[in-house]
Amino acid sequence: MLLKLNNIFKWVQSGGQRVFLLKDINLSIEEGEFISIMGPSGSGKSTLLNVIGMLDDFDEGEYNFLDESVHNLKEKHRANLYKQYIGFVFQAYHLLDELTVKENLEMPLLYSKKSSSERKSLVADMLDRFNIVGKKDLFPSQLSGGQQQLVGIARALISSPKLILADEPTGNLNSKQGEEIMELFKQLNDEGVTIIQVTHSKKNAAYGSRVINLLDGRRI
Amino acid sequence: MFKNYIKIAFRSLKKRIFFTFLNTFGLAIGIAGAILISLYIYDEFSYDTMFKDADRIHRINGDIKFGGEARKFAVTPAPMADALRSDFSEVEMVTRFRTWGSALVRKADTEANIKEESTTYVDDSFFQMFGIDLLVGDKATALQEPNTLILTKSAAEKHFGSLKNVLGESVLLNNTETYTVVGVIEDLPLNSFLREHTVFMAMAGYADSKIVNWGSNNYQTFIKLIPGVDVADIQVGLQAFLGKYVIPGIQQFMPGVTEEQLRAAGNHLFYDTVALTDIHLSSNLVAEITHNNDIQSIYILSFIAIFLIVLAAVNFMNLSTAHSLKRAKEVGVRKTLGSNKSELVQQFLIESGLISFLSLVSALIIAIIALPFFNELADKNISMPYTSPVFWVILLGATLVLALFSGSYPAFFMSRFIPVKVLKGGGQNSVGGGTIRNSLVIFQFAVSVLLIISTLVVYQQLEYIQDKDLGFSKDQVLIVNDVYAAGTKAETFKKQVKDLGFVKNATLSSFFPTPSNRSDSTFSPKEGGEQQEDAISMQIWGVDYDYVATMDFEILEGRNFDTQFGNDSTNIIVNETAVKNMGLSIKEALGKQYTPDMGADNPLYYTIIGVVKDFHFSSLKDNIEALSLTLNSSANSMAIKLNAGNFSNAIAAIENIWSEMAPGQPFDYYFMEDSFNRTYEAEKRLGNIFIIFTMLSILIACLGLFGLAAFNAEKRTKEIGVRKVLGASVGQITYTLIKDFLKLVGIAILISLPVGWYAMSKWLEDFTYRIEINGWVFVFAALLAVIIAVLTVSYQSIKAAIVNPVKSLRTE
Ligand SMILES: Nc1ncnc2c1ncn2[C@@H]1O[C@H](COP(=O)(O)OP(=O)(O)OP(=O)(O)O)[C@@H](O)[C@H]1O
Ligand SMILES: [Mg+2]
């Protein structure tokens, strides 16, 4: 068992009323799964992903991640937890514009206090693996969208997370680039990485082993 | 990690070059200004600290009211020195100065005089007292014999060419007294009270210094205490001097007078001390050896320095937090990649450290370039203390503190960003901090408006002084110094000068209505002369028949001195204040008789023949005091009233006559107006410094505002695009953008007006004759601030407003 959500509620106060963003979400995910979250716009997909990624709080319920009770943890602990086990991939890539490809890849390693030689070899491995050695000194603005997302995934993978969270990773890409990214996810999943992606496309969802449907913050 | 931070910091600064420039430039100006002001203040506090045992040296002051007004003197009677030596075992030694003003000096075997501006008699303990060494001569015996003197190095070189053949040479002072040179000392430091003095004559030869007369105050008296003694002990002991020494002296003239009677008549006399090192900044008494500064100006400058730095730091915070909107994404990404708060704080602090360091380097360059101009402005001779480790330590330390101070708010502000929010791109609302940013802009503009108000008031007051009706005419009056050097031919000189076509009038006198050290005499009336209370304190100026006409005084009652009336030598003319102090009306005063030497066997009574309208002969900071004019043929100087025209021709013609009358004597002159202006040099300097630093602080505030406007416009690009698509005009959009800033400036003005009014009223209180602060000063300052703000903000706003909306919307 990688993680388990029990009766998760999340709401905001609006005009004295609770507006529920997530309603009674129960979900358990095993290691090695490849899950797609689907649903109409505004149904709470990103919200759920952020809760799983510990970037966002929830108001009620229990969340266990690798036997740790996330809802009881201090922020610092939580940060350490996701630093160690979770990698994020964004629709808008969110690479740092002033850093080169190589430096973007290196950054999570800096934050996890890896030694310089370790960082070098890990970055080199990653560049190799994604076939972007030739691009290592370019800045994000010098890459195509697909290449940027490749770097984004490489960056998410570099500290060998157990879980990859991807919010519409192919949303800004053309269909060919999207397919390549999906192939890559499939391959990673085969290597044992757990993946949760948000997607609007049935085709992309087909790469996964399981689909979770949301409507108005509720699983259906 | 650290190396990585530095690298990233460098890159991100380079990428945002405009922001980096605004920040660095603003900080650099602030630091440069603060460096200059700090050096100035440091120099001011260094006065007289170079003398050996300076901390043990004190000067005796007198606070005396004896008839007339109370006055505080930097000088005490000649016998004070002996009394101190005999009454206080705590006093290690005593040295007196009896300043003697300027003197004409020449080698015994030459004709031509060279003028030395400041000479003084001094006791032979001088060398030991102040730890002064002789370059040539014997310290153990120097100045012990009468008619010996020592020179400073530059004076010796001026008269003798080198120091080799100086010792034992004879020099003549004022063509009459022969002195032997017994030593040469190093020139006295510019930051010492003796800086102007070049000739020191032996006190041993000055007869007055040995006379026990507790009634006249002419000697600057310094004591050195033995180590470990508290000066308060001396101050307490000095209180006994009135009864012990001064009263017995007075009783010689007024038998039977007691201390109680004097006190009952409202008189007093206190002796006090001031530490040598405090004199320059805290002592401003009658008969100071050199003009001292005012601690108030130090406070004002310190405030300005602090303001500059704070303004620049505020800029930094403002620009950084405004800019953080653009960096929000970076923070969000970094956080999701595992950066914690403290790592982000470190990173941003390193960036601000880097900017501070860049600013420091730029500031040093600016300061080095500006130093000569600043020296000119402040009338100083300051140099950069490159070799002083303390200077560098303070500078680097201050920069570090500045970096932490100005960097910490933006750093903590940014590190608090919540990734889910900022990555979603919520703009302004996702980061907050607007209130603080606005408060900072308000603060900056409040300070700027305050400085504008101060500058205006200082300048108005200076102008007022310049144009004030002084009761005499100071324009086109040339004063020729040292006419006594012409001896008996002085009168002839005057006659010939008066005959020149462009000369309106000329007068011989030693007294002119420009501020200088003069002393009062006590005048007692013939009727009721025994009544202590009827005596008044009054200056006597020796003048000639042409004086009143040349100076353009107005006679209110009675007449001027006139040869037609035969002997006017026992008549006096007094001013209005004198009449008021006598308790008479102008009409009553005529014919009244007063004497300055009450108690003498056969006192000489002067009869009042005229009353002149009050005129200002001291600084406008002081009240007009009682004054009398009397005929006196011995005069130091001649005042010449010229017709308007070519002054250099006039001066050349007068010099011609002078060199015929007094061959070989220097022709030394000045314009009365210049001397008058010099009185207010300190104020003028303050005015100039105000202007410069006001402009600097406004510049810094503008840099900040400019940057903020840029970011504001950028932040609202999308909004502007949408508004334009919906039909808004460029003017409407520009107005929307500027309006927000104007609101802030308006609040700033509301805050600074009362503060400015209060502060400047306080400053003006120093002047007895002063302006009322005018309402338009505030209107003008407010308008200026608004105009500056609008100009600063418009560029960015208009630029944003004219952008094609299709472009700005596509970038979203
Ligand atoms: N901070 C917030 N305050 C109020 N409502 C919010 C907040 N954040 C999200 N919501 C609401 O929660 C709902 C779910 O948002 P979420 O971003 O999770 O949708 P989504 O399923 O990811 O949609 P999309 O497919 O368009 O990305 C939306 O209706 C949104 O308006
Ligand atoms: Mg979403």
Side-chain angles (χ1 to χ4, degrees):
Chain A
M1 178 82 65
L2 178 65
L3 62 90
K4 187 168 169 56
L5 303 181
N6 284 335
N7 308 104
I8 295 286
F9 287 82
K10 181 173 174 62
W11 64 76
V12 289
Q13 291 289 350
S14 170
Q17 280 202 322
R18 278 184 186 176
V19 176
F20 285 89
L21 307 186
L22 295 177
K23 262 184 271 181
D24 196 19
I25 302 284
N26 291 291
L27 176 66
S28 68
I29 295 174
E30 301 291 335
E31 272 189 59
E33 279 196 273
F34 186 164
I35 292 175
S36 304
I37 302 177
M38 296 191 74
S41 186
S43 56
K45 305 183 293 291
S46 299
T47 308
L48 177 60
L49 203 68
N50 286 335
V51 165
I52 294 173
M54 303 173 207
L55 294 178
D56 212 350
D57 286 330
F58 48 92
D59 296 292
E60 225 179 86
E62 288 178 357
Y63 175 15
N64 293 302
F65 187 93
L66 286 175
D67 302 328
E68 298 258 18
S69 310
V70 177
H71 49 275
N72 290 331
L73 288 181
K74 291 249 164 55
E75 197 204 312
K76 205 173 166 127
H77 256 97
R78 236 185 300 162
N80 279 334
L81 204 59
Y82 78 68
K83 201 161 26 173
Q84 202 177 343
Y85 297 111
I86 302 178
F88 293 90
V89 175
F90 305 95
Q91 176 177 359
Y93 329 131
H94 287 327
L95 300 179
L96 291 187
D97 300 333
E98 57 264 39
L99 300 185
T100 61
V101 166
K102 198 179 79 188
E103 287 159 353
N104 262 295
L105 290 184
E106 192 183 12
M107 199 160 46
L109 302 177
L110 285 170
Y111 289 127
S112 56
K113 308 255 175 348
K114 292 272 192 311
S115 75
S116 159
S117 55
E118 228 175 323
R119 291 198 312 259
K120 273 213 183 79
S121 72
L122 281 170
V123 169
D125 282 356
M126 219 29 104
L127 289 168
D128 242 10
R129 177 163 172 196
F130 285 80
N131 258 324
I132 44 176
V133 180
K135 308 261 185 290
K136 71 178 191 325
D137 291 321
L138 296 183
F139 287 94
S141 56
Q142 297 165 311
L143 301 176
S144 76
Q147 288 166 335
Q148 288 190 47
Q149 193 57 297
L150 225 50
V151 176
I153 294 169
R155 187 179 63 178
L157 277 177
I158 197 155
S159 36
S160 349
K162 279 186 183 304
L163 173 64
I164 294 251
L165 298 175
D167 195 346
E168 299 182 46
T170 60
N172 287 6
L173 303 177
N174 62 34
S175 57
K176 182 164 174 294
Q177 289 170 326
E179 253 168 58
E180 279 168 20
I181 297 295
M182 280 301 126
E183 284 300 331
L184 182 58
F185 274 171
K186 181 96 199 102
Q187 194 186 328
L188 290 172
N189 184 239
D190 291 343
E191 288 165 19
V193 181
T194 312
I195 292 172
I196 305 177
Q197 66 163 344
V198 168
T199 182
H200 282 286
S201 125
K202 283 244 158 52
K203 210 171 127 210
N204 286 350
Y207 284 89
S209 51
R210 183 148 71 107
V211 173
I212 291 167
N213 280 300
L214 288 185
L215 183 65
D216 290 337
R218 208 187 267 281
R219 270 191 81 169
I220 48 169
Chain B
M1 196 72 182
F2 188 75
K3 220 175 78 196
N4 184 272
Y5 283 155
I6 297 249
K7 186 174 71 188
I8 293 174
F10 246 117
R11 271 214 213 123
S12 68
L13 292 182
K14 216 169 85 191
K15 192 167 160 236
R16 294 166 293 138
I17 192 80
F18 171 67
F19 160 83
T20 308
F21 167 77
L22 284 183
N23 250 339
T24 311
F25 188 52
L27 269 182
I29 290 175
I31 297 175
I35 289 178
L36 290 179
I37 293 178
S38 306
L39 288 176
Y40 175 91
I41 293 175
Y42 178 78
D43 182 71
E44 285 289 305
F45 278 108
S46 75
Y47 270 69
D48 299 320
T49 51
M50 76 296 290
F51 292 120
K52 194 176 138 237
D53 305 326
D55 54 327
R56 286 196 277 137
I57 302 177
H58 301 265
R59 190 186 67 197
I60 312 293
N61 295 332
D63 178 349
I64 303 174
K65 175 170 162 33
F66 194 73
E69 275 188 50
R71 305 231 277 164
K72 292 184 176 173
F73 293 90
V75 284
T76 49
M80 175 61 81
D82 278 334
L84 289 165
R85 259 189 295 262
S86 66
D87 285 20
F88 295 109
S89 56
E90 299 96 323
V91 171
E92 189 175 299
M93 66 182 92
V94 185
T95 304
R96 293 170 301 169
F97 294 88
R98 169 67 170 102
T99 54
W100 205 245
S102 66
L104 300 174
V105 179
R106 63 180 162 99
K107 271 160 74 176
D109 49 359
T110 55
E111 279 296 309
N113 274 311
I114 303 177
K115 187 170 182 174
E116 292 297 337
E117 289 296 341
S118 300
T119 68
T120 181
Y121 289 101
V122 68
D123 286 315
D124 58 0
S125 55
F126 174 55
F127 307 104
Q128 246 194 310
M129 183 78 161
F130 295 101
I132 290 173
D133 285 324
L134 285 176
L135 298 174
V136 295
D138 179 12
K139 202 164 132 180
T141 59
L143 294 184
Q144 287 180 355
E145 298 300 318
N147 287 74
T148 59
L149 59 74
I150 59 168
L151 299 171
T152 59
K153 189 170 166 224
S154 56
E157 283 169 352
K158 195 159 64 181
H159 292 279
F160 295 95
S162 79
L163 299 191
K164 272 188 211 127
N165 310 313
V166 181
L167 227 49
E169 290 291 312
S170 291
V171 293
L172 256 76
L173 260 55
N174 297 326
N175 295 321
T176 50
E177 299 156 61
T178 308
Y179 281 84
T180 308
V181 181
V182 293
V184 176
I185 59 174
E186 202 63 78
D187 286 353
L188 288 145
L190 284 174
N191 53 349
S192 79
F193 74 107
L194 290 171
R195 60 188 172 277
E196 287 163 7
H197 283 79
T198 50
V199 180
F200 296 84
M201 294 94 73
M203 190 70 84
Y206 186 54
D208 183 69
S209 71
K210 297 181 186 101
I211 297 171
V212 179
N213 174 3
W214 284 87
S216 80
N217 298 288
N218 284 314
Y219 294 81
Q220 289 250 354
T221 307
F222 288 85
I223 55 173
K224 185 186 277 185
L225 301 177
I226 56 178
V229 169
D230 185 359
V231 70
D233 297 346
I234 306 288
Q235 288 165 347
V236 171
L238 279 171
Q239 301 319 313
F241 274 34
L242 173 61
K244 187 169 175 189
Y245 296 110
V246 184
I247 297 291
I250 294 175
Q251 281 167 346
Q252 291 175 359
F253 304 106
M254 300 178 162
V257 164
T258 64
E259 195 175 328
E260 288 67 39
Q261 282 173 331
L262 284 174
R263 283 199 202 286
N267 297 312
H268 67 239
L269 188 155
F270 308 109
Y271 291 119
D272 200 358
T273 66
V274 57
L276 172 65
T277 49
D278 288 347
I279 290 177
H280 178 68
L281 285 179
S282 70
S283 183
N284 200 357
L285 311 184
V286 177
E288 294 285 350
I289 281 194
T290 37
H291 182 74
N292 291 330
N293 204 345
D294 190 349
I295 191 81
Q296 202 193 345
S297 70
I298 301 288
Y299 291 147
I300 293 175
L301 282 174
S302 311
F303 270 122
I304 294 182
I306 292 169
F307 271 155
L308 277 181
I309 288 281
V310 171
L311 283 182
V314 161
N315 249 7
F316 184 97
M317 294 186 212
N318 244 355
L319 289 173
S320 303
T321 50
H323 201 88
S324 62
L325 294 176
K326 292 184 81 179
R327 302 190 70 178
K329 176 188 143 191
E330 178 191 338
V331 174
V333 173
R334 280 181 188 278
K335 278 197 164 178
T336 57
L337 292 179
S339 168
N340 57 35
K341 245 190 226 165
S342 71
E343 283 162 329
L344 281 167
V345 168
Q346 271 178 46
Q347 188 198 331
F348 290 126
L349 281 183
I350 283 171
E351 275 181 35
S352 62
L354 213 58
I355 288 195
S356 301
F357 186 74
L358 280 177
S359 312
L360 175 65
V361 174
S362 323
L364 273 174
I365 296 171
I366 295 174
I368 290 167
I369 294 172
L371 190 58
F373 304 102
F374 182 74
N375 272 332
E376 181 103 339
L377 186 74
D379 193 25
K380 286 265 170 193
N381 199 4
I382 299 169
S383 57
M384 280 279 170
Y386 296 112
T387 53
S388 153
V390 179
F391 172 72
W392 293 108
V393 168
I394 290 181
L395 210 56
L396 285 173
T399 307
L400 209 64
V401 171
L402 185 65
L404 281 176
F405 172 66
S406 53
S408 52
Y409 171 65
F412 287 106
F413 173 76
M414 283 195 261
S415 65
R416 272 204 323 261
F417 288 172
I418 298 161
V420 261
K421 281 195 180 165
V422 290
L423 287 181
K424 223 159 98 183
Q428 165 78 338
N429 303 329
S430 61
V431 295
T435 317
I436 292 187
R437 221 155 36 237
N438 291 345
S439 318
L440 293 178
V441 171
I442 292 173
F443 171 76
Q444 283 190 314
F445 266 81
V447 170
S448 299
V449 173
L450 193 65
L451 286 171
I452 295 174
I453 292 173
S454 312
T455 309
L456 288 174
V457 172
V458 169
Y459 262 76
Q460 273 187 301
Q461 172 68 16
L462 288 178
E463 196 130 283
Y464 169 80
I465 289 172
Q466 215 88 53
D467 297 344
K468 179 159 176 52
D469 177 14
L470 298 167
F472 68 97
S473 156
K474 67 182 182 332
D475 302 328
Q476 297 158 37
V477 176
L478 183 76
I479 297 194
V480 179
N481 283 326
D482 311 318
V483 290
Y484 59 86
T488 50
K489 286 188 191 153
E491 272 297 328
T492 326
F493 175 52
K494 176 180 150 188
K495 277 204 187 77
Q496 293 199 11
V497 167
K498 270 176 88 170
D499 285 342
L500 293 171
F502 43 76
V503 172
K504 258 192 202 150
N505 215 333
T507 179
L508 285 164
S509 176
S510 305
F511 301 89
F512 296 103
T514 48
S516 92
N517 291 327
R518 286 175 286 247
S519 52
D520 288 2
S521 303
T522 304
F523 279 76
S524 306
K526 192 161 190 176
E527 304 135 39
E530 277 66 51
Q531 294 315 114
Q532 244 295 300
E533 306 86 86
D534 291 339
I536 70 154
S537 175
M538 184 158 75
Q539 301 192 8
I540 320 181
W541 290 14
V543 301
D544 66 7
Y545 289 100
D546 293 315
Y547 192 81
V548 170
T550 309
M551 291 297 144
D552 230 350
F553 290 159
E554 187 186 338
I555 302 255
L556 295 174
E557 199 66 51
R559 64 172 176 88
N560 188 7
F561 299 120
D562 196 331
T563 42
Q564 289 179 0
F565 286 81
N567 194 0
D568 265 343
S569 65
T570 58
N571 293 337
I572 54 172
I573 297 172
V574 296
N575 70 353
E576 284 175 278
T577 303
V579 173
K580 207 186 317 150
N581 289 356
M582 289 167 185
L584 304 170
S585 74
I586 295 174
K587 288 210 166 62
E588 287 168 347
L590 291 186
K592 289 281 184 308
Q593 293 190 307
Y594 276 77
T595 182
D597 34 35
M598 191 67 195
D601 287 344
N602 199 359
L604 171 63
Y605 282 98
Y606 287 99
T607 308
I608 298 174
I609 56 163
V611 178
V612 287
K613 192 169 171 225
D614 271 344
F615 56 92
H616 290 273
F617 54 87
S618 287
S619 162
L620 290 174
K621 286 186 174 178
D622 306 323
N623 282 310
I624 295 176
E625 293 182 39
L627 174 96
S628 61
L629 306 176
T630 170
L631 284 178
N632 186 338
S633 59
S634 82
N636 284 333
S637 310
M638 185 163 85
I640 303 163
K641 176 88 177 175
L642 301 171
N643 289 319
N646 187 337
F647 290 153
S648 52
N649 286 347
I651 292 167
I654 294 167
E655 183 169 8
N656 254 338
I657 301 177
W658 172 253
S659 37
E660 270 170 42
M661 296 293 141
Q665 305 306 327
F667 180 69
D668 185 39
Y669 67 90
Y670 64 92
F671 278 98
M672 199 142 106
E673 185 159 21
D674 296 339
S675 150
F676 173 82
N677 290 341
R678 258 196 302 280
T679 314
Y680 303 104
E681 235 159 47
E683 278 75 25
K684 223 181 256 171
R685 225 176 286 145
L686 190 65
N688 287 335
I689 291 177
F690 253 125
I691 279 232
I692 301 266
F693 288 105
T694 301
M695 290 195 306
L696 283 188
S697 73
I698 292 174
L699 177 65
I700 292 176
C702 285
L703 284 178
L705 201 58
F706 189 73
L708 275 188
F711 291 122
N712 188 45
E714 200 174 299
K715 190 177 76 196
R716 294 169 71 169
T717 312
K718 185 175 160 194
E719 175 200 331
I720 295 166
V722 173
R723 278 177 191 269
K724 279 188 90 172
V725 171
L726 296 178
S729 72
V730 171
Q732 284 166 326
I733 289 172
T734 309
Y735 171 74
T736 319
L737 290 174
I738 292 178
K739 197 182 59 190
D740 294 348
F741 286 106
L742 280 187
K743 245 186 255 161
L744 303 182
V745 173
I747 297 172
I749 289 170
L750 286 183
I751 294 172
S752 56
L753 293 191
V755 178
W757 179 82
Y758 177 76
M760 289 328 283
S761 305
K762 272 264 172 273
W763 180 77
L764 282 174
E765 271 173 21
D766 227 23
F767 292 85
T768 309
Y769 301 91
R770 56 177 180 249
I771 54 164
E772 289 289 322
I773 301 179
N774 210 321
W776 72 258
V777 166
F778 300 113
V779 176
F780 182 82
L783 270 180
L784 193 63
V786 169
I787 291 170
I788 289 172
V790 168
L791 287 180
T792 310
V793 177
S794 308
Y795 170 74
Q796 292 296 345
S797 304
I798 294 173
K799 201 174 97 182
I802 56 180
V803 164
N804 181 346
V806 178
K807 251 191 202 161
S808 54
L809 287 181
R810 203 169 45 206
T811 57
E812 273 300 301

